[in-house]
Amino acid sequence: MRYESQRIAWWFFATSMLLLCLQIVYGFIMGFAHMGYDVLHDVIPFHVARATHTNLLVVWLLCGFMGSAYYIVPEEVGRELYSVRLAKWQLGTLVFVGVVALVGFHFQWWEGRKFLEIPRPLDWLVVVNVLAFLWNLTMTMWKSPRMTTTSCVLYFGLLMAALLYLPGMIPTDNQTVDSYWRWWVVHLWVEGVWELIMGGILAYLLIKLTGVDREVIEKWLYVIVGLTFLSGILGTGHHYYYIGAPRYWLMIGGIFSALEPLAFLGMAIYAIAMARRGGRSHPNRNALAWTIGCSIMSFVGAGFLGFAHTLPQVNLYTHGTLVTAMHGHMAFWGAYAMLVFAIIAYALPQLTGRKLYDTPLAAFAFWTSNIGMVAMTLAFAVAGVAQVYLERRMGLDFLAVQEEIEVHFLGLVLAAALFAVGIGAYVLQFWRYGLPVGEVERAAVTGDAEGPAPDAAAAEAGA
Amino acid sequence: MLSKTAAKRFFVVGTALCFGAFFLLTLDTLARIPAQTNQETMTDAVVRGKHLWDTSNCMGCHTLLGEGAYYAPELTKAYSRRGPDFIAAMLRDPEAMYPGQRRMQNYDFDEGQIEDLVAFLEWVGRMDLNGFPAEPDLGEVSVPVTSTDSSVARRSDRPQVFNQMCIACHALGGQGGAVGPALDGVGGRLDADYIKRWLTDPFAIKPNSLMPKLPLSDATIVELVAFLSQLKD
Ligand code: HEM
Ligand code: HEM
Ligand SMILES: [Fe+2]
């Protein structure tokens, strides 16, 4: 940690972990409901559990991204945050809005549009909150002596994420138009601008962890985010096949979304290549494991499993089945959850001044959660393929099919238990690190050769 | 070797071109959606129904246009699959239509709201969805070819109301729900008069029956009785 104000990141990360635990609880509620044990129906019916599960996911990821930005940007641009007070206030209000929204869901106060369930008045509060966050970053970067590509890509990703929230609020009475704009938020987030955030954070981590020359890492960063937008923007069409939009989307969406895995493949090759190329090894192997793991699992979950159902001929049958849930879990986990885990694994030793990274607990958390998630994905996959086959191809009744596949949800819940143990270990590790009392250091603590004038230092490190 | 400036140019130009194309396609799509979704038939009732659909978060359990949750049936074609009476009965009391099954929220809608939701589902069902949902293409194959005997009526020969309502709980020829007994050979088991009384009011015969009193007109009952009676083994 080189700047006092980076400490604020810890509070965002802690909030993130807390919300993640809550998200998992709601996941289990739905898993049991699918198994036939909808015991909480009168208190927390399925649609309440679902809205809570997915919104918690989005909020904890955003919290993690904000924490990452507050941690990374000061170091990248070489000055303290513009205002730590604003950052604190912003976290407080974000948590407040989040809690109101989640409690509101339990009283069925919502908009009922998947992933954008938060009611309109709260939407505006979220916008104001994110504007405050962006203002803080903008002023930090504006007043700083230098810009780096990494910080710019991260900043641009966050800015676009905020702007793309707005189309989701365009009022309309037509279900198709409603859905059309909803995808501007949902798709252009996860398969567009969030990938910039991902690219920026990964680049930062790779620079720190592998010691490869910044110029090289940032050059490839441009190529990857270029590929992302080249395929991802028109790839939005893969959600427009069957919602009442023109037929040409079958062609456009099919072709461009089929190219989307390239960006994820690029990300994986890039991370692995840089790690190999790195001259010196950073002692925090655990953070490197999460970083490389993120790039690989995002390719599997988003790239490979996304491709599996993105062609219109396949999507005609899999559209809106558990196959989508399979892909959703692995993609969010690989690309974004692991990303937040990676930056936390890297930042905690600096923030708290303790070096717990090569403890057995850290390795256990990594392997258990990943194996658990792969098993969950398999359970969803079997259930989803069976559903597609029986319901969509043989024409059996929906509920009859659901009864057939109940047993796979037993598999899901068991896999999820393993996953939850892994997450528990990670959170325990987080707890053990304790509060952010680490000292602000000018020199390298962890073999990190980048001094206060990063450009010169980076060149030296690359040599 | 690729330079950083070239990489940056690739990113900026690529993004600008793609976004430009996407923007133009969006304008075109928004211009075409009204025709493709029959927007002129979007009555006030439909709009109110859409509002109810959103504020009730039906998408938290169901999919519509393939979007939503995977816990309850896809509703895009619910109107033609089940018909307005069944849907209305379902919304009045979900437990009545699917006793002992996965549970739907009971919303206590009033009759006006139910009409609005039914109108909304009817409007959605008429959209041109480029072929979604696909006809099950393996269905015919799965029915044994030996079933040429007249007892297993083909789907298209059945009364419409049978395919809409009864099939939700009863199977025939191996397809349909499992709430009630399969109706294969029911004409051999029960006589026409009994079936008629049963359909008119199941509770008169069996007070704790799981079969609800369905909204059937007399003409429909006659049609159904004729159909069921000829289902003999
Ligand atoms: C990190 C990146 C990604 C994440 C987090 C992600 C997540 C999701 C989620 C949550 C859904 C369900 C959305 C809804 O129904 O509201 C979805 C749908 C979909 N995704 Fe992804 N995805 C990612 C990348 C990709 C990629 C790269 C592809 C294609 C190659 C892809 C193809 C699809 C398709 C075709 C659907 C629609 C499924 C359907 O018709 O039901 N996704 N994705
Ligand atoms: C660990 C326990 C978990 C369980 C048991 C679980 C279970 C479920 C279930 C049953 C659904 C609803 C599917 C439906 O509509 O029927 C769901 C939705 C979802 N969950 Fe989880 N989940 C868990 C953890 C997670 C995690 C860690 C993530 C993210 C990394 C996640 C992301 C999602 C997403 C994105 C959806 C929406 C999927 C879609 O609409 O296609 N879940 N989850
Ligand atoms: Fe997408």
Side-chain angles (χ1 to χ4, degrees):
Chain A
M1 189 170 66
R2 228 169 266 130
Y3 296 93
E4 183 68 33
S5 51
Q6 283 176 295
R7 259 188 247 285
I8 188 71
W10 187 89
W11 296 97
F12 282 83
F13 293 150
T15 313
S16 213
M17 291 295 106
L18 200 70
L19 298 178
L20 163 64
C21 293
L22 210 56
Q23 186 210 346
I24 290 178
V25 173
Y26 284 84
F28 276 107
I29 296 179
M30 289 192 289
F32 279 109
H34 265 285
M35 252 165 86
Y37 300 101
D38 188 14
V39 284
L40 290 176
H41 180 83
D42 297 316
V43 202
I44 306 176
F46 190 88
H47 54 330
V48 172
R50 195 183 210 282
T52 314
H53 184 68
T54 50
N55 282 273
L56 275 168
L57 170 66
V58 175
V59 177
W60 82 255
L61 289 178
L62 284 178
C63 233
F65 294 163
M66 287 177 176
S68 312
Y70 282 147
Y71 185 83
I72 292 173
V73 167
E75 216 167 285
E76 281 287 309
V77 303
R79 78 177 292 271
E80 295 281 354
L81 270 186
Y82 170 67
S83 163
V84 175
R85 263 187 61 202
L86 181 60
K88 279 187 188 154
W89 175 86
Q90 185 242 325
L91 176 65
T93 49
L94 184 70
V95 170
F96 174 75
V97 175
V99 168
V100 173
L102 295 173
V103 172
F105 288 167
H106 290 73
F107 293 94
Q108 312 214 356
W109 183 44
W110 48 25
E111 249 175 35
R113 298 154 70 226
K114 190 180 179 186
F115 287 113
L116 307 180
E117 285 93 347
I118 297 181
R120 202 48 56 92
L122 295 184
D123 278 338
W124 289 112
L125 290 181
V126 172
V127 170
V128 172
N129 190 277
V130 173
L131 283 179
F133 164 74
L134 286 171
W135 172 250
N136 212 349
L137 285 194
T138 313
M139 292 308 286
T140 308
M141 291 173 73
W142 186 254
K143 296 194 165 184
S144 82
R146 66 169 200 148
M147 299 268 188
T148 62
T149 303
T150 303
S151 58
C152 288
V153 169
L154 180 62
Y155 177 79
F156 185 61
L158 291 162
L159 176 71
M160 289 304 291
L163 291 182
L164 280 171
Y165 196 63
L166 301 176
M169 297 202 257
I170 295 174
T172 167
D173 290 330
N174 185 314
Q175 183 69 24
T176 299
V177 178
D178 197 349
S179 178
Y180 190 90
W181 291 120
R182 193 177 70 85
W183 289 115
W184 274 53
V185 189
V186 180
H187 172 98
L188 289 180
W189 267 13
V190 299
E191 288 156 66
V193 297
W194 282 25
E195 279 183 58
L196 294 200
I197 302 174
M198 177 179 172
I201 296 178
L202 280 187
Y204 171 82
L205 286 168
L206 288 172
I207 289 170
K208 296 289 165 179
L209 293 169
T210 68
V212 173
D213 183 9
R214 175 184 284 277
E215 283 299 305
V216 175
I217 290 195
E218 292 184 339
K219 176 176 83 186
W220 289 109
L221 177 61
Y222 271 130
V223 174
I224 287 169
V225 295
L227 278 177
T228 297
F229 278 159
L230 217 52
S231 58
I233 295 178
L234 288 168
T236 317
H238 66 182
H239 302 288
Y240 297 157
Y241 299 156
Y242 306 121
I243 61 166
R247 191 168 265 279
Y248 53 65
W249 286 113
L250 269 66
M251 180 77 106
I252 298 172
I255 292 174
F256 283 90
S257 71
L259 296 175
E260 281 180 46
L262 284 182
F264 287 97
L265 184 64
M267 204 94 79
I269 294 176
Y270 161 74
I272 294 170
M274 295 305 155
R276 286 225 172 146
R277 197 170 155 163
R280 76 201 141 80
S281 63
H282 192 282
N284 193 343
R285 306 303 290 170
N286 189 244
L288 188 63
W290 282 108
T291 307
I292 304 293
C294 166
S295 73
I296 294 175
M297 294 293 265
S298 67
F299 172 66
V300 177
F304 178 71
L305 294 179
F307 184 79
H309 63 156
T310 203
L311 297 178
Q313 299 85 336
V314 180
N315 194 257
L316 179 61
Y317 291 100
T318 59
H319 184 41
T321 62
L322 289 162
V323 169
T324 308
M326 158 199 82
H327 154 72
H329 278 86
M330 185 73 132
F332 261 114
W333 168 252
Y336 302 120
M338 285 185 78
L339 180 70
V340 172
F341 279 41
I343 182 84
I344 292 180
Y346 172 76
L348 276 187
Q350 336 271 19
L351 287 169
T352 64
R354 296 171 165 209
K355 300 192 181 110
L356 302 180
Y357 30 71
D358 40 2
T359 56
L361 188 64
F364 176 82
F366 177 80
W367 288 108
T368 315
S369 56
N370 273 297
I371 293 171
M373 183 46 84
V374 170
M376 280 173 65
T377 308
L378 283 175
F380 269 124
V382 178
V385 171
Q387 182 191 5
V388 169
Y389 203 78
L390 295 174
E391 184 193 329
R392 299 291 173 88
R393 304 209 60 188
M394 313 239 317
L396 296 192
D397 197 64
F398 179 89
L399 283 175
V401 174
Q402 293 295 309
E403 240 164 73
E404 290 294 322
I405 62 178
E406 263 174 16
V407 57
H408 303 307
F409 280 90
L410 175 62
L412 175 76
V413 167
L414 292 177
L418 187 67
F419 172 79
V421 169
I423 299 298
Y426 192 93
V427 174
L428 181 63
Q429 175 86 348
F430 190 102
W431 181 266
R432 288 211 180 143
Y433 269 108
L435 289 169
V437 293
E439 294 191 4
V440 174
E441 314 216 10
R442 286 271 139 192
V445 215
T446 49
D448 184 341
E450 228 180 290
D455 281 327
E460 169 196 323
Chain B
M1 198 44 195
L2 182 74
S3 71
K4 189 171 172 184
T5 355
K8 185 173 182 178
R9 197 170 323 122
F10 165 72
F11 166 67
V12 173
V13 174
T15 304
L17 284 179
C18 285
F19 189 77
F22 188 53
F23 186 75
L24 293 178
L25 283 167
T26 293
L27 293 183
D28 184 67
T29 299
L30 290 177
R32 288 175 195 239
I33 285 176
Q36 197 164 346
T37 61
N38 311 306
Q39 193 164 289
E40 75 283 356
T41 60
M42 216 168 78
T43 58
D44 289 346
V46 173
V47 173
R48 285 194 302 269
K50 148 110 180 113
H51 184 67
L52 275 172
W53 173 266
D54 283 344
T55 50
S56 312
N57 193 12
C58 310
M59 233 190 220
C61 292
H62 290 278
T63 46
L64 187 73
L65 306 178
E67 293 176 3
Y70 320 122
Y71 188 65
E74 158 62 57
L75 291 182
T76 309
K77 297 287 176 199
Y79 187 86
S80 54
R81 182 170 69 234
R82 301 289 189 221
D85 298 334
F86 183 99
I87 296 175
M90 181 80 205
L91 293 174
R92 250 173 243 129
D93 182 7
E95 283 294 298
M97 298 316 284
Y98 286 97
Q101 297 274 313
R102 215 173 244 192
R103 288 169 73 189
M104 167 158 153
Q105 157 118 356
N106 191 343
Y107 285 98
D108 297 318
F109 288 128
D110 63 37
E111 288 302 314
Q113 290 174 316
I114 290 176
E115 270 168 37
D116 294 342
L117 275 166
V118 171
F120 174 64
L121 289 176
E122 183 186 7
W123 173 75
V124 169
R126 280 200 316 266
M127 286 180 184
D128 171 6
L129 298 178
N130 303 333
F132 178 82
E135 277 299 314
D137 54 348
L138 302 178
E140 293 298 317
V141 184
S142 73
V143 176
V145 195
T146 50
S147 66
T148 40
D149 75 285
S150 63
S151 66
V152 177
R154 305 192 65 77
R155 250 187 116 84
S156 51
D157 301 336
R158 302 168 183 175
Q160 193 194 15
V161 66
F162 187 88
N163 280 335
Q164 288 183 333
M165 283 194 193
C166 317
I167 211 78
C169 296
H170 294 283
L172 181 62
Q175 297 203 333
V179 180
L183 291 180
D184 303 272
V186 67
R189 286 201 298 280
L190 306 171
D191 64 49
D193 180 53
Y194 179 88
I195 296 179
K196 177 160 186 256
R197 282 192 292 125
W198 176 261
L199 292 181
T200 314
D201 186 4
F203 299 113
I205 297 180
K206 193 170 168 196
N208 58 352
S209 169
L210 279 178
M211 174 152 155
K213 186 173 179 315
L214 294 164
L216 303 171
S217 68
D218 288 343
T220 316
I221 291 182
V222 171
E223 191 191 0
L224 280 170
V225 170
F227 170 70
L228 293 174
S229 302
Q230 51 89 32
L231 291 176
K232 301 207 166 95
D233 283 320

